Amino acid sequence: MRGRTAAVAVAAAVAILATSANAAGTNLLANGTFEGSGNGSLTGWKGQNASLSLVAGDGGGFGAKVTRTGSGSSYSILASAKPVKSTTAGATYKADGRFKAATGTTVCVKLKETGSASSSQTSCGTGTGDWATLPELSYVALAGGDALTFVVLQMRPVAGDSFTLDNLSVTAGPGGVPPPTLHAVASSSTEIDLGWSASPDAVGYHVFRDGAGTATVDAPATSYADTGLDPGSAHAYTVTAFDGSQESGPSNQVSATTPADDSAVSIAAAGDIACNPADPNYNGGAGQNGFCQQGATAALIAQGSYDRVLALGDEQYDCGSLDAFNASYDASWGRFVGKTLPVPGNHEAKGSSDFGEAGCSKQQTGYFTYFANHGVGIAAGVNGNGYYSLDLGGWHLIAINSNCTSIGGCGAGSPEETWLRSDLAAHPSQCTLAFWHEAAWSTTGKTHGVTAMRPIWADLANAGVELVLAGHFHHYERFGDLNAAGQPVADGTGTREIVQGTGGENQGPFGNAKPIPGSQVRTSGYGALALTLASGGYSWQYLQVGGAVADSGSDTCH
């Protein structure tokens, strides 16, 4: 049995709230006053769980009445077109307006950034039954080239609720130094390594540990090793950026705990990684249009000090030929090849390519040859079938080949499943992590995961394995404890699965899929999972390109 201290820490954007009635500058909303040509207009607006109608506005003219029609926990009016299609990193975007709502009703204005960064900020006012001002929201863009969406919503509505809006505004102006986005990984019993996103125009950064100033780091450096810590100690960190005249607000706060001893190892993991060089969005390896970000995820991993890198399959698209591996994967994640523990994915086993790629092989020839050529002999696995195990620190790691057809199956009695049961029986008392490509459980997919992998999953869960990592689905999803049938069980009595398929090739949406039982966190955005495997337990952070920490927590072994 194990006690749990898991805690989700979703990184929030740092923004500033002010109270002025109107933001200066040009209104970026197409129709914020609803005046139209004089007859009123709702052009440029749409309702979510709501209907829209024209009514008398604030002080004359027209306003927009938003009436709840659905049964959701909120309803809203949205700008049909994004008021900002390409942000400037560090620029300040302000939003406000006037609203009329029933006394005690909470109405909020929201700006959301999407693109290379993903964050949002909300500012809320309380209805008085008469016209009132929405508190101005002042949002500092985290990255350049992103989009901002604009929403006004009512929280906790009941049937028949409505509110009226007028004089809505979004404006842009120069900002101060934007705050960094921070992540932290314990690298030894006495050291925690920090890394953060660069703030435009910053000349340096101040590091704060447990609320006290700890260090000053000169730009362009964006990392700091906090050494001399006590083993088994927990610490909270923030970072600020400064230029010659001003200092940003604090970054998101992150926490990390040093392991009790130095048997701990640090790991970075992701799957679904490198675009084919013939992909239209490859762009010389730099990617474009939100695709082919293998270079960005490799740069993110390079910011940390990891003992091992787990490549969770589909390392190279489109069919994993040796030429493509040498051109794309090697130019990005190849920098870690000396410490990589890989597993093949279904794209390494494709017999043909959508890009006319030569050298495709259902036997994963390009995959096996690439890693053999780079001295990663362990990738060949048992009898050349790509599954293997090893001890790392105090942990036992098991690599599984999920290309079942090419290795004699993954079902009960298959060569891989028989080997797995023997391997588990030989390591009954160790903390254990298993990893492969095609996730057994997922909110997305017709069968909510890959059914062929469920006999393997059942063996692991029945043996009390702590953690399974997988990819295949191009987003991040973390589950709580699951039993052999994939159903949620009490903390400490099952096996956790984390799906981490955001290594760079492309992103896959969750859409409107209802989370399956046991799913605890779901998010998109390119990144890598950072793990610390310590004696008796482990901790994790989902680090995203751009610096956000989208999930974190810790757990103890069975």
Side-chain angles (χ1 to χ4, degrees), residues 36-116:
S37 61
N39 297 317
S41 173
L42 291 169
T43 300
W45 299 95
K46 59 184 178 180
Q48 185 174 51
N49 295 322
S51 63
L52 306 181
S53 59
L54 286 168
V55 295
D58 179 25
F62 295 94
K65 184 176 182 180
V66 187
T67 303
R68 185 182 188 232
T69 58
S71 58
S73 59
S74 66
Y75 68 103
S76 61
I77 181 173
L78 300 82
S80 300
K82 297 177 176 65
V84 179
K85 294 181 174 60
S86 181
T87 54
T88 299
T92 300
Y93 296 90
K94 297 184 178 183
D96 63 4
R98 297 278 286 170
F99 77 109
K100 184 177 182 181
T103 300
T105 299
T106 301
V107 175
C108 307
V109 58
K110 178 179 180 179
L111 287 177
K112 181 178 181 180
E113 181 176 354
T114 58
S116 59

Side-chain angles (χ1 to χ4, degrees), residues 7-20:
V8 177
V10 178
V14 177
I16 303 167
L17 293 179
T19 57
S20 63

Side-chain angles (χ1 to χ4, degrees), residues 272-277 282 294 313-330 332 347-348 357 367 505:
D272 307 278
I273 300 167
C275 275
N276 186 282
Y282 184 67
Q294 65 276 349
D314 281 5
E315 286 88 357
Q316 180 59 62
Y317 288 75
D318 180 50
C319 73
S321 70
L322 181 59
D323 286 347
F325 260 105
N326 288 335
S328 182
Y329 181 87
D330 194 63
S332 51
H347 275 268
E348 277 78 45
E357 181 180 356
Y367 166 88
E505 201 274 341

Side-chain angles (χ1 to χ4, degrees), residues 58 98-107 124-135 162-164:
D58 179 25
R98 297 278 286 170
F99 77 109
K100 184 177 182 181
T103 300
T105 299
T106 301
V107 175
C124 301
T126 302
T128 63
D130 201 351
W131 287 100
T133 298
L134 283 166
S162 66
F163 60 89
T164 303

Side-chain angles (χ1 to χ4, degrees), residues 247-478:
E247 187 163 6
S248 76
S251 69
N252 56 299
Q253 179 176 291
V254 298
S255 298
T257 301
T258 58
D261 60 65
D262 282 325
S263 63
V265 293
S266 58
I267 288 174
D272 307 278
I273 300 167
C275 275
N276 186 282
D279 189 304
N281 291 302
Y282 184 67
N283 190 28
Q288 61 186 4
N289 301 319
F291 296 89
C292 302
Q293 296 300 303
Q294 65 276 349
T297 58
L300 176 68
I301 292 172
Q303 291 178 8
S305 300
Y306 299 103
D307 299 303
R308 290 286 192 169
V309 173
L310 304 189
L312 303 178
D314 281 5
E315 286 88 357
Q316 180 59 62
Y317 288 75
D318 180 50
C319 73
S321 70
L322 181 59
D323 286 347
F325 260 105
N326 288 335
S328 182
Y329 181 87
D330 194 63
S332 51
W333 282 50
R335 72 176 76 181
F336 315 121
V337 71
K339 56 184 176 183
T340 294
L341 297 173
V343 289
N346 57 292
H347 275 268
E348 277 78 45
K350 283 187 66 178
S352 61
S353 167
D354 295 339
F355 295 105
E357 181 180 356
C360 302
S361 168
K362 293 182 179 180
Q363 301 306 313
Q364 307 130 87
T365 302
Y367 166 88
F368 286 123
T369 304
Y370 172 81
F371 286 107
N373 287 348
H374 288 79
V376 189
I378 198 171
V382 176
N383 298 324
N385 284 322
Y387 51 88
Y388 56 91
S389 68
L390 71 156
D391 290 333
L392 192 62
W395 280 67
H396 186 61
L397 271 62
I398 303 173
I400 296 293
N401 188 344
S402 59
N403 291 319
C404 303
T405 301
S406 66
I407 58 169
C410 299
S414 66
E416 182 173 44
E417 191 270 343
T418 300
W419 166 84
L420 174 63
R421 284 188 283 108
S422 296
D423 187 82
L424 290 168
H427 302 84
S429 60
Q430 287 183 266
C431 298
T432 302
L433 180 157
F435 60 105
W436 65 80
H437 180 62
E438 296 192 7
W441 309 105
S442 172
T443 286
T444 54
K446 292 181 179 179
T447 57
H448 297 300
V450 178
T451 56
M453 298 310 299
R454 290 178 187 169
I456 297 287
W457 172 272
D459 286 344
L460 296 167
N462 287 331
V465 166
E466 277 67 40
L467 180 62
V468 168
L469 306 182
H472 193 55
F473 302 99
H474 291 205
H475 41 236
Y476 177 91
E477 184 167 21
R478 174 169 63 78

Side-chain angles (χ1 to χ4, degrees), residues 499-535:
V499 181
Q500 166 46 350
T502 68
E505 201 274 341
N506 76 335
Q507 296 186 55
F510 289 95
N512 296 320
K514 180 180 179 181
I516 65 172
S519 177
Q520 294 181 330
V521 174
R522 297 159 304 283
T523 188
S524 58
Y526 295 112
L529 179 68
L531 291 168
T532 298
L533 306 181
S535 176

